[in-house]
């Protein structure tokens, strides 16, 4: 029985009206552009609106764990799934493994019914399943979708009729339709199909959407719930179900017409950052030669009230997004005989920055009558950006390698990393060195401008400071080399 009609695709530029209880109720009233809602979807929609729905989050990392906690706080019954048994054990014991998430938050969520498991059979009980697994690059800079593939294969047997499946992992346009849906359909023993565009089926279907994560780690100026959530369904019912789910935890859901638009939106946002950072990195190199302070230039330009957004140079890109995501699009573009030149050029400029840092250290040491070979260098900051505990793709890792190749002895200090062991692209086995007796080092290299560092004291106590972040802004000293 087709027992409900909902409006769909409101103008994305308008705030979503479905925030109040009365508005939520009215979202099921016929509107100009209408979607017919079959019973199985109607039931899910009701539970999502009432926040009695059960939500499964697969991948309990930097994205999945905070998302689980937000959902739990809003009243949803949340089950987290991960293949990492250690993470599951930690969460089940009320422990946090992410610096900015306090154990008390995990405990609070647990009291509201949150639990974590490695048992994918429990996916069957969920109304909606959200995938937050990694999407890195291979050694050849090509998309590594193995995590999405493995998750889809593991989840497929447990998908039930009417369930909503949302992919949040950043990826190229087409992934949801070309990769995720076929795997979910192929591995489902009940023969369920993703609801296709067109007439709504009354049975035998599940719903699929894509909704990109937009978290900005370390940013305390925007509350997470105030970051609008872009949602694009495989068809209109999926869009509506996913938007309703996210309206339970975000101030606003922005409905777009397809999964491809939602996938591409995330890439546009990150490519925009990547290209603009490359631009200022290149202009920094020129400004250094010209004796112009690029940071002062950027601050002055940022006073323009329109048409300019400041981006800042640094020692190279880091994190799970900006250095990686643009190449997902470059790779996909080749299928269309298209060369994404801005992405390639930005990648070239940004990837050259760690070598620029190493060269600047060598020159600075040289001016102090010291060779890089056998120099003792203390690197401040292992994290890829300030005030966070994430070192994935951090330029610090590359710079350590480059300095060591030239014979330097490198130590590091980072309040967020007491130790650094082994990762996908590194094997360091180092421990954070206390910030004492800085005069013993030939050079102190500022790679991450963590707030808690006292830069004036660092400059006072050091013999030579190479600053990649303008962290020593306002401090006048012959010892400082900004690069
Ligand atoms: N970290 C960010 O700030 C950020 C921001 C925006 C978008 N993203 C995107 O979100 C996605 C997730 O990123 P993240 O930073 O949370 O990654 P993460 O590495 O912190 O967490 C991913 C989790 O998925 C788990 N996992 C891997 N394979 C699995 C499987 N088959 N089944 C179940 N769990 C599995 C891992 O054990 C890990 O706990 C990526 O696509 C990333 O590009 C991340």
């Amino acid at each position: 029985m087709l027992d409900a009609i909902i409006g769909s695709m409101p103008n994305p530029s308008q705030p979503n009206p479905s925030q109040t209880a009365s508005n939520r109720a009215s979202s099921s009233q016929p509107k100009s552009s209408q979607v017919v809602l079959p019973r199985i979807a109607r039931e899910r929609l009701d539970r999502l609106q009432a926040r009695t729905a059960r939500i499964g989050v697969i991948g309990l990392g930097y994205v999945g764990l905070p998302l689980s906690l937000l959902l739990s706080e809003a009243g949803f019954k949340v089950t987290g799934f991960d293949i990492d048994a250690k993470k599951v054990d930690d969460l089940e014991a009320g422990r946090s493994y992410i610096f900015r998430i306090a154990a008390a938050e995990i405990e609070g969520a647990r009291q509201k019914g949150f639990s974590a498991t490695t048992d994918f059979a429990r996916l069957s009980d969920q109304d909606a399943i959200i995938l937050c697994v990694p999407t890195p690059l291979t050694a050849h800079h090509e998309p590594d979708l193995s995590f999405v593939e493995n998750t889809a294969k593991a989840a497929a047997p447990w998908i039930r009729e009417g369930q909503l499946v949302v992919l949040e992992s950043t990826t190229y346009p087409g992934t949801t339709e070309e990769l995720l849906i076929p795997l979910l359909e192929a591995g489902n023993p009940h023969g369920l199909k993703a609801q296709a565009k067109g007439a709504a089926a009354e049975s035998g279907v599940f719903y699929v959407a894509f909704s990109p994560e937009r978290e900005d780690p370390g940013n305390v100026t925007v509350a997470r719930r105030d970051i609008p959530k872009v949602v694009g369904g495989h068809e209109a019912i999926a869009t509506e179900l996913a938007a309703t789910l996210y309206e339970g935890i975000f101030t606003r859901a922005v409905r777009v017409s397809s999964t491809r638009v939602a996938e591409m939106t995330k890439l546009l946002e990150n490519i925009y950052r990547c290209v603009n950072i490359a631009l200022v990195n290149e202009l920094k190199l020129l400004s250094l030669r010209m004796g112009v302070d690029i940071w002062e230039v950027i601050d002055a330009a940022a006073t323009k009230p329109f048409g300019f957004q400041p981006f800042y140079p640094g020692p190279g890109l880091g994190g799970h997004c900006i250095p990686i995501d643009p190449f997902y699009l470059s790779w996909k573009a080749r299928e269309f005989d298209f060369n994404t030149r801005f992405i390639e050029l930005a990648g070239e400029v940004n990837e050259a920055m760690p070598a620029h840092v190493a060269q600047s250290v060598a020159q600075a040491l040289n001016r102090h009558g010291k060779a890089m070979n056998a120099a003792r260098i203390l690197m401040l900051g292992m994290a890829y950006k300030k005030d966070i505990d994430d070192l994935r793709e951090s330029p610090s890792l590359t710079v350590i390698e480059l300095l060591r190749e030239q014979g330097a002895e490198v130590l590091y200090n980072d309040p967020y990393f007491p130790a650094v062991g082994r990762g996908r692209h590194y094997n360091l086995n180092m421990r954070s060195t206390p910030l004492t007796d800085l005069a013993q080092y030939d050079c102190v290299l500022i790679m991450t401008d963590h707030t808690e560092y006292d830069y004036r004291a660092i400059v006072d106590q050091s013999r030579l400071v190479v600053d990649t972040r303008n962290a020593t802004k306002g401090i006048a000293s012959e010892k400082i080399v900004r690069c």
Side-chain angles (χ1 to χ4, degrees):
M1 183 180 81
L2 301 177
D3 68 351
I5 297 175
I6 55 169
S8 77
M9 308 303 161
N11 180 349
S13 66
Q14 299 299 314
N16 191 306
S18 59
Q19 293 312 304
T20 63
S22 61
N23 275 335
R24 278 206 192 94
S26 72
S27 71
S28 62
Q29 299 306 309
K31 293 181 186 162
S32 52
S33 156
Q34 293 174 337
V35 184
V36 179
L37 217 66
R39 179 191 50 78
I40 53 170
R42 175 75 238 171
E43 287 171 2
R44 289 299 193 289
L45 190 85
D46 288 345
R47 283 204 285 277
L48 290 168
Q49 285 179 334
R51 299 185 191 175
T52 53
R54 294 183 165 275
I55 315 291
V57 176
I58 308 183
L60 300 170
Y62 289 94
V63 168
L65 181 57
L67 176 68
S68 300
L69 298 178
L70 263 185
L71 287 162
S72 179
E73 197 185 318
F76 293 104
K77 289 278 166 289
V78 184
T79 308
F81 297 80
D82 207 295
I83 49 170
D84 185 340
K86 164 99 177 53
K87 282 186 179 155
V88 168
D89 288 348
D90 279 345
L91 295 174
E92 285 294 276
R95 291 188 295 266
S96 173
Y97 43 81
I98 295 182
F99 194 88
R100 62 181 186 277
I101 295 177
E105 284 184 64
I106 310 283
E107 202 40 61
R110 287 181 54 73
Q111 280 167 17
K112 290 182 174 155
F114 169 69
S115 66
T117 181
T118 55
D119 179 8
F120 277 54
R122 287 176 59 189
L123 287 173
S124 301
D125 305 332
Q126 313 302 320
D127 290 294
I129 299 166
I130 307 177
L131 277 57
C132 307
V133 294
T135 44
L137 292 174
T138 65
H140 296 100
H141 268 217
E142 294 188 343
D144 175 2
L145 283 167
S146 60
F147 297 92
V148 176
E149 278 173 31
N150 291 340
T151 305
K153 284 178 190 162
W158 312 107
I159 299 295
R160 295 291 176 265
E161 188 176 84
Q163 273 180 338
L164 169 69
V165 180
V166 185
L167 179 62
E168 284 213 11
S169 306
T170 308
T171 185
Y172 58 77
T175 307
T176 307
E177 290 183 352
E178 295 162 12
L179 184 105
L180 179 64
I181 289 177
L183 285 173
L184 292 177
E185 290 181 345
N188 187 267
H190 312 287
L192 298 177
K193 298 286 174 211
Q195 169 67 54
K197 292 181 179 74
E202 292 181 57
S203 61
V205 296
F206 56 95
Y207 303 97
V208 182
F210 182 86
S211 179
E213 167 56 45
R214 277 175 156 173
E215 200 199 3
D216 183 15
N219 184 337
V220 288
T221 58
V222 187
R224 181 116 193 269
R225 64 169 295 112
D226 290 333
I227 303 172
K229 195 83 167 88
V230 172
V231 179
H234 184 48
E235 42 62 65
I237 299 173
T239 307
E240 203 50 40
L241 289 175
T244 304
L245 162 60
Y246 288 116
E247 281 162 0
I249 50 172
F250 292 103
T251 314
R252 182 180 165 209
V254 180
R255 293 158 171 81
V256 296
S257 60
S258 67
T259 53
R260 281 168 203 265
V261 169
E263 289 161 336
M264 186 73 157
T265 302
K266 172 73 184 175
L267 291 184
L268 169 62
E269 292 167 8
N270 283 357
I271 292 164
Y272 173 77
R273 273 192 74 71
C274 179
V275 167
N276 280 287
I277 291 169
L279 176 67
V280 289
N281 274 333
E282 187 174 79
L283 293 181
K284 175 183 78 170
L285 298 181
L286 173 63
S287 300
L288 283 168
R289 290 194 190 188
M290 297 172 87
V292 175
D293 181 343
I294 186 71
W295 287 278
E296 189 183 351
V297 172
I298 295 168
D299 286 347
T303 60
K304 186 178 176 183
F306 49 86
F308 183 83
Q309 191 190 350
F311 288 86
Y312 296 95
L317 297 180
H320 193 307
C321 298
I322 313 294
I324 292 174
D325 304 346
F327 293 105
Y328 268 68
L329 192 62
S330 309
W331 179 85
K332 187 66 177 174
R334 276 182 238 141
E335 193 180 309
F336 298 86
D337 297 323
F338 195 94
N339 186 11
T340 51
R341 288 176 293 164
F342 273 97
I343 295 174
E344 301 299 335
L345 179 60
E348 194 182 311
V349 173
N350 289 327
E351 281 169 19
M353 296 317 291
H356 160 73
V357 172
Q359 193 189 12
S360 303
V361 171
Q363 284 170 353
L365 285 168
N366 196 31
R367 277 197 292 274
H368 275 230
K370 179 83 197 165
M372 177 77 95
N373 192 14
R376 292 195 86 211
I377 298 172
L378 179 66
M379 176 183 274
L380 302 189
M382 195 58 98
Y384 75 88
K385 75 174 192 180
K386 76 176 189 184
D387 303 341
I388 63 163
D389 63 333
D390 191 348
L391 54 62
R392 287 175 296 175
E393 315 295 327
S394 173
S396 297
L397 301 165
T398 315
V399 170
I400 289 177
E401 221 171 89
L402 294 173
L403 298 178
R404 283 181 170 173
E405 273 171 16
Q406 296 181 61
E409 183 193 351
V410 187
L411 298 94
Y412 86 92
N413 173 278
D414 192 316
Y416 292 86
F417 292 99
V420 176
R422 198 191 188 100
R424 248 197 295 259
H425 307 300
Y426 58 89
N427 185 7
L428 288 179
N429 200 15
M430 293 170 79
R431 297 199 74 79
S432 181
T433 306
L435 262 191
T436 50
D437 192 13
L438 296 183
Q440 68 178 297
Y441 302 105
D442 297 302
C443 175
V444 171
L445 169 60
I446 301 172
M447 286 292 291
T448 319
D449 47 344
H450 287 312
T451 306
E452 63 187 88
Y453 286 139
D454 179 345
Y455 293 101
R456 195 167 289 278
I458 287 167
V459 172
D460 283 348
Q461 292 165 28
S462 304
R463 282 194 263 160
L464 170 66
V465 175
V466 174
D467 179 4
T468 67
R469 299 279 190 178
N470 201 29
T472 55
K473 178 181 174 181
I475 304 174
S477 169
E478 297 275 299
K479 298 180 200 170
I480 302 171
V481 174
R482 298 196 173 89
C483 80

